[in-house]
């Protein structure tokens, strides 16, 4: 089995099922992805949405307004997400660093790379790839605990994030022609990676008991 086989099985099962965003992550292509990538660390997405609603009520509608929001108010707004003092500091620092380095969100999306993101406080590999994939719409395949658990069900284990990510990328990139046939059109890698990750998360949430994923449902 390779990741293309996994993609086919997930698509045949009807994933993605959500219609909230074409790329799965809510409000893809906006600065809200950056906010979400920080806030979702060690918490449920529902809590992230609650926090973002508070931020919007406080007048946050851009990186600029986020960077100038009082830190104490920011902490209060994102309290539902947990670890709010640490996340507020990291989010504040990141917003300011983006504006100081790139001047705008648009320039950031066009020119930022993974190395720069990983150098920022509070940004690990998964968060960096989430921002690159869903905010910047670059070629970045996000892998996470769901990905690892799903593949564990098929007997695969990986020593590192990068090893898991490489396995996921190789199978689909080496079968790009078949991927296009599967979708009935040419699909760019940024969109493919974005939707593939979303399919995995959706499937695992619907077909897991504890940390064990029922991979038999995929029929591979």
């Amino acid at each position: 089995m390779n990741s293309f086989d996994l993609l086919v099985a997930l698509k045949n099962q009807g994933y993605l099922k959500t219609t909230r965003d074409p790329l799965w992550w809510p409000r893809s292509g906006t600065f809200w992805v950056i906010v979400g990538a920080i806030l979702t660390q060690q918490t449920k997405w529902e809590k992230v949405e609650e926090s973002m609603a508070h931020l919007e009520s406080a007048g946050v509608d851009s990186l600029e307004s986020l960077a100038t929001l009082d830190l104490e108010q920011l902490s209060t707004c994102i309290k539902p997400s947990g670890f709010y003092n640490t996340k507020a500091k990291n989010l504040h620092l990141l917003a300011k660093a983006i504006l100081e380095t790139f001047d705008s969100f648009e320039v950031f999306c066009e020119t930022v790379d993974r190395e720069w993101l990983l150098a920022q406080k509070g940004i690990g590999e998964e968060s960096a790839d989430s921002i690159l994939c869903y905010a910047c719409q670059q070629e970045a395949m996000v892998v996470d605990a769901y990905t690892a658990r799903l593949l564990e069900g098929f007997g695969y284990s990986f020593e590192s994030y990068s090893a898991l990510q490489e396995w996921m990328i190789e199978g689909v990139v080496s079968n790009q022609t078949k991927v296009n046939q599967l979708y009935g059109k040419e699909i760019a890698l940024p969109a493919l990676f974005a939707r593939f990750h979303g399919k995995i998360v959706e499937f695992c949430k619907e077909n897991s008991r504890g940390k064990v994923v029922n991979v038999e449902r995929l029929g591979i």
Side-chain angles (χ1 to χ4, degrees):
M1 187 184 85
N2 60 33
S3 60
F4 173 70
D5 299 321
L6 181 59
L7 175 67
V8 172
L10 287 166
K11 198 168 190 312
N12 287 342
Q13 289 285 330
Y15 298 95
L16 290 169
K17 294 182 178 180
T18 182
T19 57
R20 66 185 183 184
D21 189 282
L23 296 182
W24 179 70
W25 191 294
R27 295 194 268 193
S28 63
T30 73
F31 84 99
W32 286 109
V33 174
I34 298 172
V35 177
I38 298 292
L39 298 187
T40 197
Q41 295 169 358
Q42 296 180 290
T43 196
K44 294 181 179 180
W45 185 257
E46 291 76 15
K47 298 296 184 181
V48 174
E49 291 184 327
E50 188 177 342
S51 295
M52 291 197 292
H54 292 328
L55 288 171
E56 287 186 286
S57 296
V60 174
D61 59 4
S62 65
L63 273 181
E64 288 79 5
S65 56
L66 179 62
T68 56
L69 187 66
D70 177 74
L71 186 58
E72 185 175 347
Q73 186 178 8
L74 175 55
S75 296
T76 300
C77 286
I78 67 170
K79 197 169 185 177
S81 298
F83 304 99
Y84 51 93
N85 287 326
T86 298
K87 289 180 179 179
K89 290 177 183 177
N90 291 343
L91 194 52
H92 221 227
L93 286 171
L94 181 58
K96 289 181 177 180
I98 290 172
L99 294 173
E100 288 172 1
T101 306
F102 302 97
D103 293 325
S104 69
F105 173 73
E106 291 73 22
V107 174
F108 165 78
C109 287
E110 292 173 1
T111 58
V112 71
D113 58 26
R114 198 170 189 261
E115 183 179 4
W116 187 90
L117 283 169
L118 290 174
Q120 308 310 306
K121 191 171 183 179
I123 299 290
E125 291 179 300
E126 184 183 337
S127 297
D129 288 334
S130 295
I131 292 170
L132 290 172
C133 178
Y134 294 105
C136 306
Q137 298 178 2
Q138 295 186 22
E139 291 181 12
M141 179 72 211
V142 181
V143 296
D144 57 10
Y146 288 115
T147 317
R149 289 174 199 161
L150 177 60
L151 291 175
E152 282 173 8
F154 290 106
Y156 291 89
S157 62
F158 299 87
E159 294 182 355
S160 64
Y161 180 99
S162 59
L164 173 57
Q165 184 182 55
E166 183 179 348
W167 189 91
M168 290 295 298
I169 292 172
E170 198 280 331
V172 291
V173 170
S174 63
N175 287 284
Q176 187 69 54
T177 300
K178 291 181 180 179
V179 169
N180 293 337
Q181 291 172 347
L182 178 67
Y183 279 87
K185 62 180 180 180
E186 185 173 341
I187 181 167
L189 285 177
L192 175 63
F193 289 159
R195 292 180 63 83
F196 196 2
H197 174 240
K199 293 176 195 291
I200 290 170
V201 175
E202 280 190 1
F203 177 82
C204 289
K205 284 186 174 182
E206 291 184 358
N207 297 279
S208 295
R209 179 173 294 179
K211 294 185 177 181
V212 178
V213 183
N214 181 9
V215 297
E216 292 181 2
R217 289 286 305 276
L218 287 174
I220 300 177

